[in-house]
Amino acid sequence: MINFHIEPTSKCTLECPLCSRTWFYQTFKKRLLHEIDMDALIDFLGKDKKLSLCGNHGDPIYHSKFIELCKRLKQNNCEITIITNGSAKTKKWWYDLNSILEENDTIIFSIDGLEDTNHIYRINAKWNSIMDAIQVLQKRRCKMKWKYIVFKHNQHQIKDAETLSKKLGFDQFYADHSDRWLGKKDLMPDKEFVDESYKISEEILKNPNFKTTMSPKCLQDGIPTNSLYIDAEGDFYPCCWMGSYHYKYKSIFSPKVRKSFNIKDNTIDDILEWAEVKEFFESTKHFTSAHECCKIKCGVKNG
């Protein structure tokens, strides 16, 4: 079964320094604000899908009709994982969402620190509203997890945060070791908390003679079925990295090249059957033919 990564909206209230959305604004001084067409998405996905609702450039909960979207997805027997910073929604909003979600659904709160540190990376995050959401979800059917990206300013709080997560009723707490260190390194924690796969990305970008093996994350048993990405404009990409502002205009999937990959015009079977798309996914299996984005994100360390 194909599972999808969906970006319901490119809107967000936060200004996270390492986010592609922040980079785009700092570079071009403008926002590209979109919301996915709900009817087109429901028709495209059909029933019985496993979905991750998580933004590349936005946070899913800021889609203006997010609760209605989740309700319709559940009516189609879809399993939903929602990844959010959790800020700026009312308790009533969370009660409404909670009433829809079931045992096979998950809400992942991205909280990178405690009250005195979360806002350092999650700029504009509202701690009290996050706690309101968590309080509402004390009584729930879905699973609730705390994802904690480790930075220099919060690495000393990991154990305290994990203790708090148990007190607040989370099902799981996990400290995430980021690999997003190609640019700004001022937030980088101690080595033990760093995913050093970023070093292979640096090598790929700097050394034209570098080679390694590939492990494409979009493929399962050689078939494109894993976390295929649909952005807030309804455009299809092999993964969220290819759909980021850094790469979305630099491949065959670029919306500037053609509109044929939009979910309003196609089924997933149509898209995956096109010769150029088949050639793209085949190219991801070999370092010499893979797109630069694929090399960086799916090149195997010490391959």
Side-chain angles (χ1 to χ4, degrees):
M1 180 178 71
I2 296 176
N3 63 73
F4 290 92
H5 174 177
I6 311 294
E7 178 181 57
T9 179
S10 60
K11 295 187 293 184
C12 187
T13 62
L14 273 56
E15 301 289 345
C16 302
L18 301 181
C19 177
S20 176
R21 173 178 173 271
T22 303
W23 168 85
F24 187 88
Y25 180 75
Q26 291 173 344
T27 304
F28 300 105
K29 305 305 178 186
K30 62 180 179 179
R31 304 281 190 203
L32 300 180
L33 300 180
H34 303 283
E35 288 195 335
I36 204 160
D37 184 308
M38 193 178 346
D39 292 332
L41 179 64
I42 296 299
D43 290 344
F44 181 84
L45 292 173
K47 296 185 177 183
D48 306 317
K49 295 296 189 300
K50 188 173 182 179
L51 308 174
S52 174
L53 306 183
C54 176
N56 239 1
H57 311 119
D59 189 305
I61 68 172
Y62 303 124
H63 188 287
S64 61
K65 297 182 179 179
F66 185 70
I67 291 175
E68 182 182 347
L69 173 61
C70 290
K71 185 180 295 185
R72 293 182 65 180
L73 291 172
K74 293 308 300 178
Q75 288 171 348
N76 279 356
N77 198 37
C78 291
E79 178 181 328
I80 302 173
T81 295
I82 300 166
I83 304 173
T84 179
N85 78 83
S87 289
K89 290 295 183 179
T90 65
K91 284 187 176 182
K92 182 185 183 305
W93 189 93
W94 284 104
Y95 276 117
D96 290 343
L97 179 63
N98 191 29
S99 69
I100 296 167
L101 302 179
E102 300 173 316
E103 288 81 0
N104 63 347
D105 301 316
T106 303
I107 298 179
I108 299 175
F109 285 92
S110 296
I111 308 173
D112 305 328
L114 298 177
E115 185 172 6
D116 62 329
T117 55
N118 179 54
H119 65 280
I120 294 175
Y121 179 72
R122 301 275 169 182
I123 296 172
N124 298 332
K126 294 177 171 58
W127 183 264
N128 288 340
S129 67
I130 297 170
M131 292 301 107
D132 283 345
I134 293 167
Q135 181 184 3
V136 169
L137 292 166
Q138 293 296 302
K139 295 182 179 180
R140 63 184 185 273
R141 290 176 293 171
C142 67
K143 294 178 283 294
M144 185 171 72
K145 300 180 181 181
W146 181 334
K147 177 185 176 183
Y148 185 110
I149 300 177
V150 184
F151 296 104
K152 181 188 298 183
H153 57 265
N154 69 14
Q155 64 183 33
H156 64 291
Q157 296 179 319
I158 297 173
K159 290 184 179 179
D160 289 340
E162 184 172 11
T163 298
L164 178 61
S165 75
K166 294 175 181 177
K167 181 179 178 181
L168 294 174
F170 279 87
D171 297 295
Q172 182 183 353
F173 172 93
Y174 58 101
D176 186 61
H177 295 183
S178 178
D179 66 350
R180 294 191 184 189
W181 306 115
L182 286 180
K184 298 179 181 180
K185 291 185 172 60
D186 56 309
L187 298 172
M188 184 184 288
D190 293 344
K191 184 177 180 180
E192 63 184 292
F193 302 115
V194 173
D195 180 345
E196 294 196 343
S197 62
Y198 80 92
K199 291 182 177 179
I200 191 174
S201 300
E202 285 186 322
E203 187 73 13
I204 289 168
L205 290 170
K206 293 177 180 178
N207 182 359
N209 298 316
F210 179 83
K211 291 182 181 180
T212 187
T213 54
M214 297 292 294
S215 180
K217 299 177 181 67
C218 58
L219 304 182
Q220 290 182 335
D221 299 322
I223 300 172
T225 57
N226 188 46
S227 292
L228 303 182
Y229 181 65
I230 301 169
D231 74 4
E233 296 178 79
D235 290 325
F236 170 90
Y237 299 89
C239 70
C240 63
W241 295 107
M242 287 291 293
S244 73
Y245 288 137
H246 291 84
Y247 288 106
K248 70 181 296 179
Y249 304 112
K250 299 179 180 179
S251 76
I252 64 167
F253 301 97
S254 169
K256 288 189 175 182
V257 175
R258 59 189 295 176
K259 286 291 183 181
S260 300
F261 295 108
N262 194 278
I263 60 174
K264 288 184 178 180
D265 306 315
N266 305 279
T267 67
I268 185 61
D269 291 335
D270 289 337
I271 293 172
L272 296 180
E273 281 300 313
W274 286 328
E276 59 193 310
V277 174
K278 288 183 175 181
E279 289 172 5
F280 174 87
F281 282 109
E282 185 63 29
S283 75
T284 66
K285 300 176 183 179
H286 310 284
F287 187 82
T288 53
S289 59
H291 189 282
E292 179 185 78
C293 179
C294 305
K295 291 178 181 179
I296 292 172
K297 296 301 176 183
C298 297
V300 179
K301 186 176 180 180
N302 299 324

